Structure formats: C-alpha cells, structure tokens
Amino acid sequence: MQSVTLNNGVEMPILGFGVYQISAEDTERAVSEALAAGYRLLDTAAAYGNEEAVGRAIRSSNIDRNDLFVTTKLWVQDAPAEDNTKRAFETSLDKLGLDYLDLYLMHQPFGDVYGQWRAMEAFNREGTARAIGVANFYPDRLLDLIVNNDITPAVNQIETHPFFQRADYQDLMSEHGVQTQSWGGFAEGKNDLFSNALLAGIGKEYGKSVAQVVLRWLNQRGVIAIPKSVRAERMAENIDVFDFQLTDEQMARIGTLDTGVSLFFDHHDPEIVAWLAERRLDD
Ligand code: NAP
C-alpha cells in the first residue's frame, strides 16, 4: 500500500476503509472483511456509534497494532472544552480498545474549537495521538486555526469527489503542509456517479469500474481516500486500484465534472451550522 508522509513525519496509507453509516451490528463483520482484503487504514468517529465494533474487529484480526492506522473523530464540545475533549478521547480509546490513535480528527469546525484543539495538541505531544487533524474545515477556519495555534493540522478530511473536487483548496492546504483526505469519495452514489458515462468510458479502457477510476483519480492527485462498503466484493474492488495509471488527458477530463458545489451540506449555511453545532453525543 502506498503511503503519504504527514507534516510530522508520520506515514499514512493513501487508501483506507470508512465505516460511516455502517450499523454497530454490521461493523465488526465489515471491518474484519476489510482487514482480510488488505485495508490497514480504518476511519471511524465517536459520532458513528461503532467504535466498539471496530475495536472488536481489530482484536480478532490479530494484525500487529503497528501495521494498522486507526483514525477516530472528536464530536463538538462546549467551552471550556479541554476537559470534555480529554474525556471524549479516553472514551474513544476505551471503546476501540487501543492505547493510542494514529490520527485524531476534530469532526466539525464548531463548538469550542480552540479548546478542543489545545487538548488535541496535548495528546499529540504526549504521543497518544500520533497525528492530529480536522475535518470539514473550510479555508477561512483552517487558516485561522493554523496561524493562531502551535501545531498545524496534519490532515483535513473534507468532502472530495468528482463533482466537488476541491483542487484550489488542496493547493492551499499543501502550501501549509496539510494533507487532503477525501470523505464521500463516491459522493455516496449521488448524481448517478456509478453510471457516469465519462468515468465509465475511461474505466473501460483499463477494464476497471467507475469506483476504481474515482479512487485512482484521487490517488493520483495525492488525496487519501476511505471508501465505505458493506460488501466484501466491493471492498476487494476498491483496493484494486494500483495497477493502472490515468493519463494527464483523462485526469483533465475528469476535472470537467467538477461543479464546485457540495452535494451534502455547506458548513457556511446558518441552518447547517445550527443543526451540527447543537448536536451533542450525550443527547
Ligand atoms: P462513499 O464512500 O462516497 O460511498 C459509499 C457508498 O458507495 C455506499 O452506498 C456503498 O454501498 C457504495 N459503494 C462502495 N463501493 C462501491 C463500488 N465499488 N461500486 C458501487 N457502489 C459502491 O461514502 P461515505 O461513506 O460517506 O464516505 C466514505 C467515508 O468517509 C465514511 O465511511 C467515513 O469514514 C468518512 N466520512 C467522513 C465525514 C466527515 O464529516 N468527516 C463525512 C462522511 C463520510 P455498499 O456499502 O452497499 O457497498
């Protein structure tokens, strides 16, 4: 598996397995199958409600902990957030059955962002989070966090797929040493992604599926992807993307699919801000 080197020297696989919207009952089986298929990067979150099941699958796999890269995410915390964040972090570690994380992400740019980040910096300094980063941060919020704190996020996990490509933002993040990670790499199938004629046509030239073309396109852009599937055959398909190379012309043609607009939610929309910011995991 190819890896990328994060801004603090930590190596992170360029392709992994996401478990959003996999029920707690299904997650242990799905993660076990993903590990058997060769995935070593696992992406969960406190908000997904399946950290315990991810932990069970990790333990039953008997894979050396050093060979895994486990990410989980902190949900929004109220001010003063330092103590809440420490509690949330320890709860996630307990549920996962781990004594350190490879990457801990702030899930949303809301709540007491500064307090949350200061606590995360402490986990990183003490080594219980080998890398720390953020998710869903738009450029203004990311730059604010970078210029006013000590540790620059290693990763920003953002909606990135053929219909919302974020190329300019990726350039800005690269300038600041922040690695782009895609969530919703398949746009969760929206806009009929899996039957898109342009992507299917390119795939046909290599005997590859639309899903494989999308993942290869992300990979060639240097974007980390974490496709989700509950089906073993798709897990195998989604990791089989390193034996072909898209041409510059094909990369440029995929570029024409960009609409520049989110297919999910705009973190600047006041209604979305209120909806996300008011949610608490204990509610
Ligand atoms: P996604 O990976 O874009 O799409 C998942 C959908 O694609 C599922 O319906 C899956 O169906 C289908 N699928 C997977 N492989 C396929 C294939 N080869 N052919 C056809 N269909 C296929 O969606 P996502 O789960 O939203 O995003 C990926 C991960 O990103 C998440 O699991 C999560 O870890 C992370 N994420 C993070 C955030 C955030 O706020 N930070 C938000 C969303 C997601 P089946 O399962 O039935 O195969």
Side-chain angles (χ1 to χ4, degrees):
M1 176 60 65
Q2 285 177 22
S3 64
V4 295
T5 306
L6 302 179
N7 62 14
N8 63 355
V10 167
E11 294 284 319
M12 179 168 180
I14 197 147
L15 185 66
F17 185 70
V19 300
Y20 178 46
Q21 290 172 330
I22 306 184
S23 67
E25 299 72 53
D26 236 7
T27 300
E28 184 175 350
R29 174 200 57 81
V31 173
S32 297
E33 288 177 355
L35 292 171
Y39 294 86
R40 291 295 177 266
L41 159 59
L42 301 174
D43 184 274
T44 184
Y48 300 169
N50 54 18
E51 287 171 312
E52 282 162 311
V54 171
R56 284 196 298 276
I58 289 173
R59 281 191 296 286
S60 65
S61 75
N62 289 322
I63 294 171
D64 191 313
R65 174 68 185 91
N66 294 326
D67 294 332
L68 293 171
F69 192 104
V70 183
T71 303
T72 194
K73 310 185 193 84
L74 170 74
W75 191 252
V76 179
Q77 303 294 324
D78 297 312
E82 277 90 335
D83 287 348
N84 300 338
T85 300
K86 194 163 168 39
R87 262 195 303 277
F89 180 66
E90 283 164 1
T91 301
S92 284
L93 283 178
D94 278 356
K95 287 187 172 174
L96 286 160
L98 301 176
D99 51 14
Y100 70 89
L101 289 175
D102 297 282
L103 178 63
Y104 195 43
L105 298 178
M106 192 188 308
H107 205 148
Q108 303 289 349
F110 301 129
D112 180 12
V113 168
Y114 271 61
Q116 293 173 86
W117 190 249
R118 273 192 295 273
M120 291 169 69
E121 288 181 328
F123 309 149
N124 188 224
R125 287 196 190 95
E126 73 194 18
T128 44
R130 294 177 64 228
I132 53 173
V134 295
N136 299 305
F137 272 57
Y138 274 71
D140 52 338
R141 308 304 297 266
L142 183 69
L143 261 293
D144 174 68
L145 194 73
I146 291 172
V147 298
N148 292 302
N149 288 283
D150 289 338
I151 299 180
T152 293
V155 169
N156 187 13
Q157 185 183 106
I158 52 172
E159 179 189 347
T160 311
H161 48 72
F163 306 121
F164 192 30
Q165 301 192 359
R166 322 296 294 267
D168 290 348
Y169 192 19
Q170 185 183 3
D171 288 345
L172 181 74
M173 285 195 273
S174 297
E175 279 171 34
H176 291 273
V178 182
Q179 170 65 42
T180 303
Q181 181 172 25
S182 151
W183 67 251
F186 300 144
E188 294 180 8
K190 286 178 193 281
N191 269 8
D192 290 330
L193 176 124
F194 293 113
S195 48
N196 181 275
L198 189 153
L199 298 169
I202 292 173
K204 215 169 164 196
E205 295 182 38
Y206 301 100
K208 292 287 181 183
S209 67
V210 165
Q212 290 170 318
V213 170
V214 170
L215 293 170
R216 186 65 189 165
W217 164 76
L218 287 167
N219 171 246
Q220 286 183 216
R221 287 180 54 194
V223 174
I224 297 170
I226 40 170
K228 169 262 174 189
S229 178
V230 293
R231 305 179 203 208
E233 69 277 11
R234 288 181 177 170
M235 296 174 196
E237 176 185 331
N238 294 345
I239 204 173
D240 180 21
V241 296
F242 298 103
D243 60 352
F244 72 113
Q245 180 81 13
L246 299 170
T247 64
D248 291 346
E249 185 271 335
Q250 289 165 334
M251 294 291 287
R253 264 199 290 145
I254 296 172
T256 65
L257 296 175
D258 192 18
T259 65
V261 178
S262 166
L263 287 186
F264 293 86
F265 29 61
D266 179 351
H267 284 72
H268 294 120
D269 177 344
E271 281 183 24
I272 293 295
V273 174
W275 174 63
L276 286 170
E278 280 167 13
R279 182 173 172 213
R280 291 294 178 272
L281 288 191
D282 303 334
D283 291 350

